[in-house]
Amino acid sequence: MPVTPVRRRWRTVALAASAALVGLTVPALTAPPAGAVSAPPAGAASAAYDDTYYADAIGRTGPALKDSLHTIISDQRKLSYSAVWDALKVTDQDPNNSGNVILLYSGISRSKSRNGGNTGDWNREHVWAKSHGDFGTSTGPGTDLHHLRPEDVQVNSIRGNKDFDNGGSAFGNSGGSLTDSNSFEPRDAVKGDVARMVLYMAVRYEGTDGWPDLEPNDSVSNGSAPYHGRLSVLKQWHQQDPPDAFEKRRNDVIHASYQHNRNPFIDHPEWVEAIW
């Protein structure tokens, strides 16, 4: 689909800014000092993008908003699956230990060098399970950083391709996450992150660029169909766990240094309800 002049100018500015970075200079990882002013309300921090990046989406709702956001965020740089390893070492860096990454479901801080496939390693978790639409690890949805996160190899295996829902039992290195025979519940601190990643995928991949039309639904038995659930629960998690500093920084890093696109539901949490 054609890119509007407003968005093309913004893309040029974003790429120029990215090229000026030394190495992978990204927003600071250090915590704010005691007594610092709290972050602005959701949406306020993204105001700088509303007249540029999101200009075509502002004021829209429902299918019109979803279509507009799809056009905006589809303008992206794509990574190879091997490049994802190094990218995750930056996007998910532990704010308190620059040599580690934070594992999504378990919350464990683990050495960046422990990426691999053995017990005790971390690997690349597809939050939108790659079998839900059968897109695998090919460049496209299979390598999109907005839903790829580091996770313990065994925890990743336990999650498998299960849909998301409340309930289940704890397991080794769960960090508070739960699972049962047909669903997975992430720990409380990342419930909203998971919801926003799934909903990003549903907007980004609409079946118009050779990939399946990914959509959320209210099922926990989607198998290989291009659907992910449970939407009603994901919306609850989105409300209960709003975007935090780690998630916002991650969005900024992906935009500035890698894909040059954003997860709109981190910048504008109210758009979830406006669409679904």
Side-chain angles (χ1 to χ4, degrees):
M1 299 179 71
V3 181
T4 67
V6 171
R7 290 183 58 245
R8 188 177 294 113
R9 288 197 299 271
W10 172 245
R11 176 69 184 275
T12 302
V13 171
L15 290 174
S18 179
L21 296 172
V22 177
L24 286 174
T25 304
V26 295
L29 279 161
T30 54
V37 178
S38 60
S46 64
Y49 297 108
D50 286 358
D51 294 332
T52 51
Y53 188 75
Y54 292 124
D56 293 342
I58 299 300
R60 301 190 183 200
T61 60
L65 175 59
K66 189 169 185 274
D67 289 347
S68 181
L69 291 176
H70 168 72
T71 301
I72 292 168
I73 67 178
S74 295
D75 186 11
Q76 72 179 92
R77 171 179 173 245
K78 298 179 178 67
L79 278 69
S80 69
Y81 196 46
S82 60
V84 169
W85 283 124
D86 288 332
L88 292 179
K89 294 176 183 178
V90 180
T91 61
D92 290 75
Q93 180 172 305
D94 183 345
N96 300 311
N97 185 340
S98 62
N100 287 11
V101 291
I102 299 293
L103 308 187
L104 176 63
Y105 302 132
S106 57
I108 294 170
S109 178
R110 184 166 293 170
S111 172
K112 292 178 178 179
S113 65
R114 293 298 306 270
N115 63 297
N118 297 320
T119 300
D121 290 341
W122 61 268
N123 59 7
R124 297 158 291 186
E125 155 69 343
H126 291 78
V127 175
W128 183 292
K130 59 184 181 288
S131 65
H132 290 221
D134 196 28
F135 52 74
T137 60
S138 298
T139 301
T143 66
D144 196 315
L145 287 173
H146 281 296
H147 86 118
L148 283 161
R149 301 290 292 265
E151 187 48 73
D152 176 81
V153 168
Q154 291 175 297
V155 173
N156 195 346
S157 178
I158 289 169
R159 187 270 159 132
N161 69 345
K162 295 173 182 175
D163 291 277
F164 295 106
D165 198 2
N166 290 315
S169 303
F171 51 88
N173 287 333
S174 72
S177 296
L178 307 172
T179 192
D180 57 24
S181 62
N182 62 5
S183 70
F184 191 90
E185 178 183 344
R187 61 191 175 100
D188 289 347
V190 295
K191 279 183 165 68
D193 306 50
V194 166
R196 287 179 283 275
M197 286 186 278
V198 169
L199 298 178
Y200 161 88
M201 293 291 283
V203 172
R204 169 61 186 88
Y205 299 98
E206 293 278 49
T208 58
D209 51 3
W211 300 110
D213 181 3
L214 306 181
E215 293 295 340
N217 65 10
D218 225 34
S219 172
V220 290
S221 43
N222 284 304
S224 61
Y227 308 121
H228 225 302
R230 183 182 300 270
L231 176 59
S232 59
V233 172
L234 292 171
K235 289 176 64 177
Q236 292 172 7
W237 292 351
H238 167 67
Q239 293 294 331
Q240 293 166 3
D241 174 38
D244 60 16
F246 187 93
E247 190 180 1
K248 291 175 182 177
R249 177 193 171 274
R250 192 175 194 277
N251 200 26
D252 289 340
V253 172
I254 293 172
H255 180 216
S257 301
Y258 293 104
Q259 296 183 180
H260 309 305
N261 71 341
R262 303 183 67 80
N263 182 332
F265 305 116
I266 296 172
D267 294 326
H268 279 278
E270 73 277 9
W271 280 346
V272 170
E273 193 63 36
I275 295 174
W276 289 283

